[in-house]
DNA sequence: AGAGCGGTCTAAACCGGTTTAGAGTCAGAG
DNA sequence: CTCTGACTCTAAACCGGTTTAGACCGCTCT
């Protein structure tokens, strides 16, 4: 049985001073003579003393932890490259700051609100990330009501007291559409994310606007839940249409990869007979054949910036909104010239 | 400015009793009259009181949280389906138990040990998961030294005081090899994980043994770091050999998918000219073309069982080792008969 | 010499729960 | 009628830190 962990009282006793002075010395606060400080630090070192976060948390009323709630059915969480990268970015910021990340994975939106409540009510975290914003997102109101600092990924629609860290994804969609239009495509479809999610509907609108600007009708849009299986269904439906598309812009990579599979299985040559673009730049999309043209967003730095902003909020600053460099379209192999001749402009 | 959160003292005052009795009533302990208990519960409800986990943590000397440290360079963490599913499984167990998951993502093994130390020294967690076991894994000794309950995913080589929750992955590899041999393949290669990782070398050994049992030489084995980019390189090397393989068994899905891309890019028809199997059953592998034959392991239940075992360890029980149902091989479209005729047995 | 002051340090309160020792009340047994 | 024991409850200690009020010291200034 190893010895009990030393407490600050043990250090005080060994150094021959009071508890309070030990606390002062270890936190580098003034009012401790250099000589005594050294003696205290020495004693702490000898005992291998480490402050108990629990005691600190209680007395300074901080949890030294941030909360992240991920709402995804288990099916989609697999394969989606966003969260792992985002979390890696968050960690990069938290670890040096002595903070920890408390993660909650829940299946649906009711459980999501309950999870936020639980994290905050138990005082487990000092602040929360709000990701995957939805229309009229109840979490904003909840966080305000719980009086907890928060940061939103993207600008919510409803007025929000919390700083937002955003990455423009419209530019990427527009670039993808422009790229396809430049290759002569006219019948371009979009496999969109769920309309209730802000980035789902925003990407869809960006698609529609880009099409309109190019003088094309944005008639072929299928709404999905971002799952690979949805990509399969949507692609099948689109390809079965009499006015089947020559190019499909997918709202994420897993659906694009699944769509590619559907097209290939149907005997279509990609990209010669069908061009495909993804979104979010998964590692695997880079290595499949043909390599996926996609819109890459830097989820890692999104994570670290969001974490930094949240920490500043907690520290009492009022950080403003941050706009990250926009996601950018990276053409690879899955897009090429339209199989059908571009009608001449004067026709 | 919302009102300060009520404490147990507020509840006590409102109910006209002492703090201690409130604590007893709320924890359902005997020694409180039914009438008083109701009055206390009513007061707590009226005030919307929620116990502070911080205070509880300090007084009962528990963190009510479990630690998971993930060591992966950001490149591989993306695309790997294991951790998201595993975490979902863990959550399923923790949430009802009022526990939280503290997640740490670190880039390398030094940072990994430091992360465990930090979680435990700060008393942030009551127990830790040890995943991705390696040979002579320093974390076992560290956890013992830190005197923290732990659970290992798989049986470590070195004697370990901690319960292990294992899933046999050899059977899956063997089934894959047998499947390929049955299809007439003789030149079967293996793209292995890193030898320093237990599951990397164990899958490799299972491959070699299955080959030997089938009377074949297991000469073509390439060691990798589990990254998709490694799968690309390994596949190129294998296909460039004069005695190129007719089938490749990959140690994980991302490498298999990348390898498929390499083969297709080289003009090989998969599976007609090259059969491919993966490992771990990613969602995306199911939807690509050809759909990936792979070994699926139930990472979700792995997570919940491991969490349950760890919670029991923390509660002072001595749970034994658990063996989950073995990962099983699921043939899909990426494997078929060998393109070369099977030599007759008597030749 | 005494007041004033900065520097150093101690004692004790505090954070919000849990837990223990013991006080008070009441019923039933002797 | 008193003793015993069960039941209910209070007061206070405790977890391990932080923070505040104030004591004590030696010094300078008038």
């Amino acid at each position: 049985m190893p010895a009990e962990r030393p407490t600050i009282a043990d250090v005080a006793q060994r150094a021959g001073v009071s508890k309070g002075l030990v606390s002062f010395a270890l936190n580098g606060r003034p009012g401790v003579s250099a000589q005594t400080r050294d003696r205290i630090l020495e004693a702490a070192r000898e005992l291998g003393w480490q402050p108990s976060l629990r005691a600190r948390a209680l007395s300074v009323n901080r949890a030294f932890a941030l909360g992240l709630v991920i709402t995804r059915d288990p099916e989609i969480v697999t394969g989606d490259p966003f969260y792992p990268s985002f979390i890696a970015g968050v960690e990069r910021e938290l670890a040096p700051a002595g903070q920890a990340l408390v993660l909650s994975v829940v299946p649906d939106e009711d459980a999501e609100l309950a999870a936020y409540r639980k994290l905050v009510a138990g005082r487990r975290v000092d602040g929360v990330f709000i990701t995957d914003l939805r229309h009229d997102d109840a979490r904003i109101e909840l966080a305000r009501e719980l009086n907890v600092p928060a940061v939103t990924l993207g600008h919510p629609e409803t007025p929000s007291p919390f700083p937002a860290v955003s990455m423009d994804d419209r530019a990427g969609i527009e670039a993808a559409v422009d790229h396809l239009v430049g290759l002569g495509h006219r019948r371009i479809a979009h496999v969109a994310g769920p309309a209730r999610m802000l980035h789902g509907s925003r990407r869809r609108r960006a698609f529609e606007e880009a099409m309109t600007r190019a003088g094309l009708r944005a008639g072929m849009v299928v709404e999905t839940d971002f799952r690979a299986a949805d990509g399969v269904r949507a692609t099948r439906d689109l390809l079965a249409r009499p006015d089947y598309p020559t190019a499909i812009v997918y709202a994420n990579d897993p659906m694009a990869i699944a769509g590619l599979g559907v097209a290939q299985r149907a005997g279509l040559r990609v990209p010669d007979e069908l061009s495909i673009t993804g979104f979010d730049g998964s590692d695997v999309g880079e290595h499949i054949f043909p390599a996926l043209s996609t819109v890459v967003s830097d989820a890692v730095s999104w994570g670290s910036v969001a974490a930094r902003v949240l920490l500043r909020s907690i520290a009492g600053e009022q950080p403003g909104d941050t706009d990250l460099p926009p996601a950018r379209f990276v053409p690879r192999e899955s897009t090429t010239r339209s199989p059908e001749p571009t009608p001449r402009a004067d026709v």
Side-chain angles (χ1 to χ4, degrees), chain A:
Chain A
M1 179 75 69
E4 289 298 311
R5 276 191 41 164
T7 75
I8 202 171
D10 299 323
V11 177
Q13 190 181 8
R14 182 173 190 106
V17 297
S18 69
K19 274 172 50 172
L21 202 63
V22 174
S23 175
F24 275 36
L26 290 156
N27 294 323
R29 298 176 41 156
V32 187
S33 74
Q35 188 190 355
T36 312
R37 181 195 336 277
D38 290 347
R39 194 153 37 88
I40 291 172
L41 294 180
E42 172 67 11
R45 216 182 40 69
E46 284 171 7
L47 291 171
W49 176 82
Q50 300 273 113
S52 155
L53 224 50
R54 294 184 197 149
R56 239 158 89 70
L58 181 60
S59 56
V60 304
N61 203 27
R62 292 258 284 109
F64 304 106
L66 270 38
L68 174 61
V69 178
I70 300 183
T71 312
R72 303 237 158 161
D73 50 342
E75 201 179 339
I76 171 103
V77 78
T78 284
D80 187 333
F82 179 77
Y83 276 109
S85 305
F86 179 78
I87 290 174
V90 168
E91 272 302 317
R92 183 172 303 178
E93 207 61 35
L94 293 199
Q99 307 277 324
L101 179 66
V102 175
L103 182 66
S104 222
V105 179
V106 297
D108 55 55
E109 295 181 18
D110 289 343
E112 178 184 53
L113 290 179
Y116 277 101
R117 261 182 211 291
K118 214 159 126 183
L119 286 179
V120 177
R123 299 274 205 259
R124 230 188 236 289
V125 299
D126 298 318
V128 294
F129 296 93
I130 300 182
T131 64
D132 286 335
L133 281 174
R134 296 181 295 266
H135 294 283
D136 273 326
D137 204 304
R139 291 172 294 173
I140 308 244
E141 188 46 38
L142 178 62
R144 193 209 317 267
E145 176 193 323
L146 293 173
N147 202 28
V148 66
V151 59
T152 57
L153 267 62
H155 297 280
E157 279 182 327
T158 47
S160 154
F162 305 115
V165 176
S166 313
M167 180 175 295
D168 181 17
D169 47 5
R170 284 170 313 181
I173 291 281
E174 283 162 21
V177 171
D178 291 352
H179 170 76
L180 291 168
V181 169
L183 289 169
H185 291 272
R186 320 294 292 165
R187 300 201 307 276
I188 306 175
H190 179 46
V191 176
R196 70 177 187 288
M197 302 188 81
L198 243 49
H199 58 304
S201 56
R202 191 175 52 235
R203 288 174 198 173
R204 176 190 183 136
R205 207 166 49 244
F207 170 79
E208 290 167 346
E209 286 171 9
M211 289 291 279
T212 304
R213 209 166 34 244
L216 300 172
R217 276 200 58 233
M220 290 188 278
V221 175
V222 185
E223 184 182 330
T224 72
D225 261 339
F226 271 139
R227 292 185 303 240
D230 295 332
V232 169
R233 188 178 41 71
T235 307
R236 280 211 194 103
D237 291 353
L238 286 169
L239 295 180
R241 294 171 64 130
D243 59 336
Y244 60 88
T246 63
I248 305 180
V249 173
Y250 291 85
N252 74 359
D253 266 25
M255 289 198 297
I257 293 171
L260 171 63
V262 169
Q264 290 176 332
R265 194 178 313 266
L268 254 63
R269 295 198 319 280
V270 177
D272 307 279
E273 297 176 273
L274 178 70
S275 285
I276 279 180
T277 71
F279 203 106
D280 259 356
S282 61
D283 194 33
V284 62
E286 203 172 328
H287 297 296
I288 58 174
F289 178 74
L292 190 63
S293 299
T294 192
V295 178
V296 304
S297 54
D298 185 355
V300 175
S301 63
W302 206 346
S304 30
V305 171
R308 201 152 49 223
V309 166
L310 187 47
L311 287 177
R312 288 176 47 205
S313 278
I314 292 168
E317 297 179 47
Q318 311 256 330
D321 291 351
T322 311
D323 286 303
L324 298 171
R328 60 181 218 292
F329 178 67
V330 177
R332 291 202 278 242
E333 299 169 347
S334 66
T335 44
T336 192
R337 297 204 62 76
S338 168
E340 302 188 5
T342 310
R344 270 183 274 127
D346 55 352
V347 175

